[in-house]
Amino acid sequence: MMPLRTHPLRGVDLFRHDPNLGAALSHRFRLDAARADMLSAFGTWVGSVVDEEAEYTDRFARPVLEPYDDGGRLRHRIRVNPAWQEVSRELYRRGFVGLNHGAEPEPYWLTFVMGYLLSQADVSLHCPATMTGAVAYVLAGHAAPAVRERYLPELVRRDGHELTGGTWATERHGGSDVGATTTVARVVPGGVALTGLKWFASNPDGGLALATARPEGAGPGWRGLGLYLVPFVDDNDRPNGIDIRRLKSKLGTCGVPTGELTLADAFALEVAPPPQGF
């Protein structure tokens, strides 16, 4: 195996190495000793373990789509570098999402600083982690109590067994125009069924995603969009009408898989109806 490159900052505490960051936080927020020590430990981990993993993943172990399991059944699983998966789990153990929730939540600026440090080493890890935080934020503030109580704990847990999140909005014909969404939401018992194509979906098999869709009969544009929570598998661990057509070939953020998804009556739960969905 080819040796990994080294650079002057590998192994450096990226938090303590950035005096301007510490000064800005002390001036603007309540950066006490406990939070500073936590960010220092995080900065040391990011500057060493995460940075080395990121280089190895980008050079040798990018994600691979495995449509079928060993028994020939359609599963649409994505195989990632085990080291990338382990640092991902450790990131959530350290509270990248969970710190902002619970009985005594930490302020969001603290986890934003963690993201700032993390992105210096592995933006491919930063991407799904921030999407997971976004899904948790939306569920905490906008979902019906039954949906929030069922799924939010799975996103904010800190034991290494959390679900991670995705945000599925982009479609092939619309690009950045989310209001052009053509994915249809059809009412079914207990929820809705989504049918359509999501063209650029990062972290597509993390477990949960928020997807934009247009309920049958809704008007055009962004005002006609609802927002829906889509589990990747059903309660019996069976595929939930989600087919990963292929993984994108990208110039950057290579460690996180990004796929094209076909939704074929994928079961989902409403988070916000039109016109609040957008």
Coordinates of all heavy atoms in Angstrom, one line a residue, residues 185-257:
A185 N -46.5 13.1 -3.7 CA -46.9 12.5 -2.4 C -48.4 12.1 -2.4 O -49.2 13.0 -2.6 CB -46.7 13.5 -1.2
R186 N -48.6 10.8 -2.3 CA -50.0 10.3 -2.3 C -50.3 9.7 -0.9 O -49.6 9.0 -0.3 CB -50.0 9.1 -3.4 CG -51.3 8.4 -3.5 CD -51.3 7.4 -4.7 NE -50.2 6.5 -4.5 CZ -50.3 5.4 -3.8 NH1 -51.4 5.0 -3.2 NH2 -49.2 4.6 -3.8
V187 N -51.5 10.1 -0.5 CA -51.9 9.7 0.9 C -52.2 8.2 0.9 O -52.9 7.7 0.0 CB -53.2 10.5 1.3 CG1 -53.7 9.9 2.6 CG2 -52.9 12.0 1.4
V188 N -51.6 7.5 1.9 CA -51.8 6.1 2.1 C -52.1 5.9 3.6 O -51.9 6.8 4.4 CB -50.6 5.2 1.7 CG1 -50.4 5.4 0.2 CG2 -49.4 5.6 2.5
P189 N -52.6 4.8 4.0 CA -52.8 4.5 5.4 C -51.6 4.8 6.3 O -50.5 4.2 6.0 CB -53.3 3.1 5.5 CG -53.9 2.8 4.2 CD -53.1 3.6 3.2
G190 N -51.7 5.7 7.2 CA -50.6 5.9 8.2 C -49.6 6.9 7.7 O -48.7 7.3 8.4
G191 N -49.7 7.4 6.4 CA -48.7 8.4 6.0 C -48.9 8.7 4.5 O -50.0 8.9 4.1
V192 N -47.8 8.8 3.8 CA -47.9 9.1 2.3 C -46.9 8.2 1.6 O -46.0 7.6 2.2 CB -47.5 10.6 2.0 CG1 -48.5 11.5 2.7 CG2 -46.1 10.9 2.4
A193 N -47.1 8.0 0.3 CA -46.2 7.3 -0.5 C -45.6 8.3 -1.5 O -46.3 9.0 -2.2 CB -46.9 6.2 -1.3
L194 N -44.2 8.3 -1.6 CA -43.5 9.2 -2.5 C -43.1 8.5 -3.8 O -42.5 7.4 -3.7 CB -42.3 9.8 -1.8 CG -42.5 10.6 -0.5 CD1 -41.2 11.2 0.0 CD2 -43.6 11.6 -0.6
T195 N -43.3 9.2 -4.9 CA -42.9 8.6 -6.2 C -42.2 9.7 -7.0 O -42.8 10.8 -7.2 CB -44.0 8.1 -7.0 OG1 -44.7 7.0 -6.3 CG2 -43.6 7.5 -8.3
G196 N -40.9 9.5 -7.4 CA -40.2 10.5 -8.1 C -38.7 10.1 -8.2 O -38.3 9.0 -7.8
L197 N -37.9 11.1 -8.6 CA -36.5 10.9 -8.8 C -35.7 12.0 -8.1 O -36.0 13.2 -8.4 CB -36.1 10.9 -10.3 CG -34.6 10.8 -10.6 CD1 -34.0 9.5 -10.1 CD2 -34.4 10.9 -12.1
K198 N -34.9 11.7 -7.1 CA -34.0 12.7 -6.5 C -32.6 12.5 -7.1 O -32.0 11.4 -7.0 CB -34.0 12.5 -5.0 CG -35.4 12.8 -4.3 CD -35.9 14.2 -4.6 CE -37.2 14.5 -3.9 NZ -37.7 15.8 -4.1
W199 N -32.1 13.6 -7.6 CA -30.9 13.5 -8.5 C -29.6 13.6 -7.8 O -28.6 13.2 -8.3 CB -31.1 14.6 -9.5 CG -30.1 14.6 -10.7 CD1 -29.1 15.5 -11.0 CD2 -30.0 13.5 -11.7 NE1 -28.5 15.1 -12.1 CE2 -29.0 13.9 -12.6 CE3 -30.7 12.3 -11.9 CZ2 -28.6 13.1 -13.6 CZ3 -30.3 11.6 -13.0 CH2 -29.3 11.9 -13.8
F200 N -29.5 14.3 -6.6 CA -28.2 14.5 -5.9 C -28.5 14.3 -4.4 O -28.8 15.3 -3.8 CB -27.7 15.8 -6.3 CG -26.2 16.0 -6.0 CD1 -25.2 15.6 -6.9 CD2 -25.8 16.4 -4.7 CE1 -23.9 15.7 -6.6 CE2 -24.4 16.5 -4.4 CZ -23.5 16.2 -5.4
A201 N -28.4 13.1 -4.0 CA -28.7 12.8 -2.6 C -27.5 12.2 -1.9 O -27.1 11.1 -2.1 CB -29.8 11.7 -2.5
S202 N -26.9 13.1 -1.0 CA -25.7 12.6 -0.3 C -26.2 11.8 1.0 O -27.2 12.1 1.5 CB -24.9 13.8 0.1 OG -24.2 14.4 -1.0
N203 N -25.3 10.9 1.4 CA -25.6 10.0 2.5 C -27.0 9.4 2.3 O -27.9 9.4 3.2 CB -25.6 10.9 3.8 CG -25.6 10.0 5.1 OD1 -24.9 9.0 5.1 ND2 -26.3 10.4 6.1
P204 N -27.2 8.7 1.2 CA -28.6 8.3 0.8 C -29.1 7.1 1.7 O -30.3 6.9 1.7 CB -28.4 7.9 -0.6 CG -27.0 7.5 -0.8 CD -26.3 8.4 0.1
D205 N -28.1 6.3 2.3 CA -28.6 5.2 3.1 C -28.3 5.4 4.6 O -28.2 4.4 5.3 CB -27.9 3.9 2.6 CG -26.4 3.9 2.8 OD1 -25.8 5.0 3.0 OD2 -25.8 2.8 2.8
G206 N -28.3 6.6 5.1 CA -28.0 6.8 6.5 C -29.1 6.4 7.4 O -28.8 6.2 8.6
G207 N -30.3 6.3 6.9 CA -31.4 5.8 7.8 C -32.6 6.6 7.7 O -33.7 6.1 7.6
L208 N -32.5 8.0 7.6 CA -33.6 8.9 7.6 C -33.3 10.0 6.6 O -32.1 10.4 6.5 CB -33.9 9.5 8.9 CG -34.5 8.5 10.0 CD1 -34.5 9.2 11.3 CD2 -35.9 8.0 9.6
A209 N -34.3 10.5 6.0 CA -34.1 11.7 5.1 C -35.3 12.6 5.1 O -36.5 12.1 5.3 CB -33.8 11.3 3.7
L210 N -35.1 13.9 4.9 CA -36.2 14.8 4.7 C -36.3 15.0 3.2 O -35.3 15.3 2.5 CB -36.0 16.1 5.4 CG -36.1 16.1 6.9 CD1 -35.7 17.5 7.5 CD2 -37.6 15.8 7.3
A211 N -37.5 14.8 2.6 CA -37.6 15.0 1.2 C -38.8 15.9 0.8 O -39.8 15.9 1.5 CB -37.9 13.6 0.5
T212 N -38.6 16.8 -0.2 CA -39.7 17.6 -0.7 C -40.5 16.8 -1.7 O -39.9 16.0 -2.5 CB -39.1 18.9 -1.3 OG1 -38.1 18.5 -2.3 CG2 -38.5 19.8 -0.3
A213 N -41.8 17.0 -1.7 CA -42.7 16.4 -2.6 C -43.9 17.2 -2.7 O -44.3 18.0 -1.9 CB -43.0 15.0 -2.2
R214 N -44.7 17.0 -3.8 CA -45.9 17.7 -4.1 C -47.1 16.8 -3.9 O -47.3 15.8 -4.6 CB -45.9 18.3 -5.5 CG -46.9 19.4 -5.7 CD -46.8 20.0 -7.2 NE -45.4 20.4 -7.5 CZ -44.8 21.5 -7.1 NH1 -45.5 22.4 -6.4 NH2 -43.6 21.8 -7.4
P215 N -47.9 17.1 -2.9 CA -49.1 16.3 -2.7 C -50.0 16.3 -3.9 O -50.1 17.3 -4.7 CB -49.8 16.9 -1.5 CG -48.8 17.7 -0.8 CD -47.8 18.2 -1.9
E216 N -50.7 15.3 -4.2 CA -51.7 15.2 -5.3 C -52.6 16.4 -5.2 O -53.3 16.6 -4.1 CB -52.4 13.9 -5.3 CG -51.5 12.7 -5.7 CD -52.3 11.4 -5.7 OE1 -53.1 11.2 -4.7 OE2 -52.1 10.6 -6.6
G217 N -52.8 17.1 -6.3 CA -53.7 18.3 -6.3 C -53.1 19.6 -5.8 O -53.8 20.6 -5.9
A218 N -51.9 19.6 -5.3 CA -51.3 20.8 -4.8 C -50.9 21.7 -5.9 O -50.7 21.2 -7.1 CB -50.1 20.5 -3.9
G219 N -50.8 23.0 -5.7 CA -50.4 24.0 -6.7 C -49.0 23.9 -7.1 O -48.2 23.2 -6.5
P220 N -48.6 24.7 -8.1 CA -47.2 24.7 -8.6 C -46.3 25.5 -7.7 O -46.7 26.2 -6.8 CB -47.4 25.4 -10.0 CG -48.5 26.3 -9.8 CD -49.5 25.6 -8.9
G221 N -45.0 25.4 -8.0 CA -44.0 26.2 -7.3 C -43.8 25.7 -5.9 O -44.3 24.7 -5.4
W222 N -43.0 26.5 -5.2 CA -42.6 26.1 -3.9 C -43.7 26.1 -2.9 O -43.7 25.4 -1.9 CB -41.4 27.0 -3.4 CG -41.8 28.4 -3.2 CD1 -41.6 29.4 -4.1 CD2 -42.4 29.0 -2.0 NE1 -42.1 30.6 -3.6 CE2 -42.5 30.4 -2.3 CE3 -42.8 28.6 -0.8 CZ2 -43.1 31.3 -1.4 CZ3 -43.3 29.4 0.2 CH2 -43.4 30.8 -0.1
R223 N -44.8 26.9 -3.1 CA -45.9 26.9 -2.2 C -46.7 25.6 -2.2 O -47.4 25.4 -1.3 CB -46.8 28.1 -2.6 CG -46.2 29.5 -2.3 CD -47.1 30.6 -2.7 NE -46.6 31.9 -2.4 CZ -45.7 32.6 -3.2 NH1 -45.4 32.0 -4.4 NH2 -45.3 33.7 -2.9
G224 N -46.5 24.8 -3.2 CA -47.3 23.6 -3.3 C -46.5 22.4 -2.7 O -47.0 21.2 -2.8
L225 N -45.3 22.6 -2.1 CA -44.5 21.5 -1.6 C -44.8 21.2 -0.2 O -44.9 22.1 0.7 CB -43.0 21.9 -1.8 CG -42.5 22.1 -3.2 CD1 -41.0 22.4 -3.2 CD2 -42.8 20.8 -4.0
G226 N -44.8 19.9 0.1 CA -44.8 19.4 1.5 C -43.4 18.9 1.8 O -42.6 18.6 0.9
L227 N -43.2 18.7 3.1 CA -41.9 18.1 3.6 C -42.2 16.8 4.3 O -43.1 16.7 5.1 CB -41.2 19.1 4.5 CG -39.8 18.6 4.9 CD1 -38.8 18.6 3.7 CD2 -39.2 19.5 6.0
Y228 N -41.4 15.7 4.0 CA -41.7 14.4 4.5 C -40.5 13.7 5.0 O -39.4 13.9 4.4 CB -42.4 13.6 3.3 CG -43.6 14.3 2.7 CD1 -43.4 15.1 1.6 CD2 -44.8 14.1 3.3 CE1 -44.5 15.8 1.1 CE2 -45.9 14.8 2.8 CZ -45.8 15.6 1.7 OH -46.9 16.3 1.3
L229 N -40.7 12.9 6.0 CA -39.6 12.1 6.6 C -39.7 10.7 6.0 O -40.7 10.0 6.1 CB -39.7 12.1 8.1 CG -38.6 11.3 8.9 CD1 -37.3 12.1 8.8 CD2 -39.0 11.0 10.3
V230 N -38.5 10.3 5.4 CA -38.5 9.0 4.7 C -37.5 8.1 5.4 O -36.3 8.3 5.4 CB -38.0 9.2 3.2 CG1 -38.2 7.9 2.5 CG2 -38.8 10.4 2.6
P231 N -37.9 7.0 6.0 CA -37.0 6.0 6.5 C -36.4 5.2 5.3 O -37.1 4.9 4.4 CB -37.9 5.1 7.4 CG -39.2 5.8 7.6 CD -39.3 6.7 6.4
F232 N -35.2 4.8 5.4 CA -34.6 4.0 4.4 C -35.1 2.6 4.3 O -35.2 2.0 3.2 CB -33.0 4.0 4.5 CG -32.3 3.4 3.3 CD1 -32.2 4.1 2.1 CD2 -31.8 2.1 3.4 CE1 -31.6 3.6 1.0 CE2 -31.2 1.6 2.3 CZ -31.1 2.3 1.1
V233 N -35.4 2.0 5.5 CA -36.0 0.7 5.5 C -37.3 0.8 6.4 O -37.5 1.7 7.1 CB -35.0 -0.4 6.1 CG1 -33.8 -0.5 5.2 CG2 -34.6 0.0 7.5
D234 N -38.1 -0.2 6.2 CA -39.3 -0.3 7.1 C -39.1 -0.9 8.4 O -37.9 -1.2 8.7 CB -40.5 -1.0 6.3 CG -40.2 -2.5 6.1 OD1 -39.3 -3.0 6.8 OD2 -40.9 -3.1 5.2
D235 N -40.1 -1.0 9.2 CA -39.9 -1.5 10.6 C -39.4 -3.0 10.6 O -38.9 -3.5 11.7 CB -41.2 -1.4 11.4 CG -41.6 0.0 11.7 OD1 -40.7 0.9 11.7 OD2 -42.8 0.3 11.9
N236 N -39.5 -3.7 9.5 CA -39.0 -5.1 9.4 C -37.7 -5.2 8.7 O -37.3 -6.2 8.2 CB -40.0 -6.0 8.7 CG -41.3 -6.1 9.5 OD1 -41.3 -6.3 10.7 ND2 -42.5 -5.9 8.8
D237 N -37.0 -4.0 8.5 CA -35.7 -3.9 7.9 C -35.7 -4.3 6.4 O -34.7 -4.8 5.9 CB -34.6 -4.8 8.6 CG -33.2 -4.4 8.3 OD1 -33.0 -3.2 8.1 OD2 -32.3 -5.3 8.2
R238 N -36.8 -4.0 5.8 CA -37.0 -4.3 4.4 C -36.9 -3.0 3.6 O -37.2 -1.9 4.1 CB -38.3 -5.0 4.0 CG -38.5 -6.3 4.7 CD -39.9 -6.9 4.4 NE -40.9 -6.0 5.0 CZ -42.1 -6.4 5.2 NH1 -42.5 -7.6 5.0 NH2 -43.0 -5.5 5.7
P239 N -36.4 -3.0 2.3 CA -36.2 -1.8 1.6 C -37.6 -1.0 1.5 O -38.6 -1.6 1.3 CB -35.8 -2.3 0.2 CG -35.1 -3.6 0.5 CD -35.9 -4.2 1.6
N240 N -37.5 0.3 1.6 CA -38.7 1.1 1.6 C -38.9 1.8 0.3 O -39.1 3.0 0.2 CB -38.6 2.2 2.7 CG -39.8 3.1 2.8 OD1 -40.9 2.7 2.5 ND2 -39.6 4.3 3.3
G241 N -39.0 1.1 -0.8 CA -39.3 1.7 -2.1 C -38.2 2.7 -2.6 O -38.6 3.6 -3.3
I242 N -37.0 2.5 -2.1 CA -35.9 3.4 -2.5 C -34.9 2.7 -3.3 O -34.3 1.7 -2.8 CB -35.3 4.1 -1.3 CG1 -36.3 4.8 -0.5 CG2 -34.2 5.0 -1.7 CD1 -35.8 5.3 0.9
D243 N -34.7 3.0 -4.6 CA -33.6 2.4 -5.4 C -32.5 3.4 -5.6 O -32.8 4.5 -6.1 CB -34.2 2.0 -6.7 CG -35.2 0.8 -6.6 OD1 -35.2 0.1 -5.6 OD2 -36.1 0.7 -7.5
I244 N -31.3 3.0 -5.3 CA -30.1 3.8 -5.6 C -29.6 3.4 -7.0 O -29.1 2.4 -7.2 CB -29.0 3.6 -4.5 CG1 -29.5 3.9 -3.1 CG2 -27.8 4.5 -4.8 CD1 -28.5 3.6 -2.0
R245 N -29.9 4.3 -7.9 CA -29.6 4.0 -9.3 C -28.1 3.9 -9.6 O -27.6 3.0 -10.2 CB -30.1 5.1 -10.2 CG -31.7 5.1 -10.3 CD -32.2 6.5 -10.7 NE -31.5 7.0 -11.9 CZ -32.1 7.2 -13.1 NH1 -33.3 6.8 -13.3 NH2 -31.4 7.8 -14.0
R246 N -27.3 4.8 -9.0 CA -25.9 4.8 -9.1 C -25.3 5.8 -8.1 O -26.1 6.7 -7.6 CB -25.4 5.2 -10.5 CG -25.8 6.6 -11.0 CD -25.1 7.0 -12.3 NE -25.5 8.3 -12.7 CZ -24.9 9.0 -13.7 NH1 -23.9 8.4 -14.4 NH2 -25.3 10.2 -14.0
L247 N -24.0 5.8 -7.9 CA -23.3 6.8 -7.1 C -22.7 7.8 -8.0 O -22.2 7.4 -9.1 CB -22.3 6.2 -6.2 CG -22.8 5.2 -5.1 CD1 -21.6 4.7 -4.2 CD2 -23.9 5.8 -4.3
K248 N -22.7 9.0 -7.6 CA -22.1 10.1 -8.4 C -20.6 10.0 -8.4 O -19.9 9.7 -7.4 CB -22.5 11.5 -7.9 CG -24.0 11.7 -7.9 CD -24.5 12.0 -9.3 CE -25.9 12.6 -9.3 NZ -26.4 12.8 -10.6
S249 N -19.9 10.3 -9.5 CA -18.5 10.5 -9.6 C -18.2 12.0 -9.4 O -18.6 12.8 -10.2 CB -18.0 10.0 -11.0 OG -16.6 10.2 -11.1
K250 N -17.5 12.3 -8.3 CA -17.4 13.6 -7.8 C -15.9 14.0 -7.8 O -15.0 13.2 -7.6 CB -18.0 13.8 -6.5 CG -19.5 13.6 -6.4 CD -20.0 13.8 -5.0 CE -19.6 12.7 -4.1 NZ -20.1 12.8 -2.7
L251 N -15.6 15.3 -8.0 CA -14.3 15.8 -7.9 C -13.9 16.0 -6.4 O -12.7 16.0 -6.1 CB -14.1 17.1 -8.7 CG -14.3 17.1 -10.2 CD1 -14.2 18.5 -10.8 CD2 -13.2 16.2 -10.8
G252 N -14.8 16.3 -5.6 CA -14.6 16.5 -4.2 C -15.6 15.8 -3.3 O -16.5 15.1 -3.8
T253 N -15.4 15.9 -2.0 CA -16.3 15.2 -1.0 C -16.5 13.7 -1.4 O -17.6 13.2 -1.4 CB -17.7 15.9 -0.8 OG1 -18.4 15.9 -2.0 CG2 -17.5 17.3 -0.3
C254 N -15.4 13.1 -1.7 CA -15.5 11.7 -2.3 C -15.8 10.7 -1.2 O -16.3 9.6 -1.5 CB -14.1 11.3 -2.9 SG -13.7 12.4 -4.3
G255 N -15.5 11.0 0.1 CA -15.7 10.0 1.1 C -17.2 9.7 1.4 O -17.6 8.6 1.8
V256 N -18.1 10.7 1.2 CA -19.5 10.5 1.4 C -20.1 10.1 0.1 O -19.9 10.7 -0.9 CB -20.1 11.8 2.0 CG1 -20.0 13.0 1.0 CG2 -21.6 11.6 2.3
P257 N -20.9 9.0 0.2 CA -21.6 8.6 -1.1 C -22.7 9.6 -1.4 O -23.5 10.0 -0.6 CB -22.1 7.2 -0.7 CG -22.3 7.2 0.8 CD -21.2 8.1 1.3

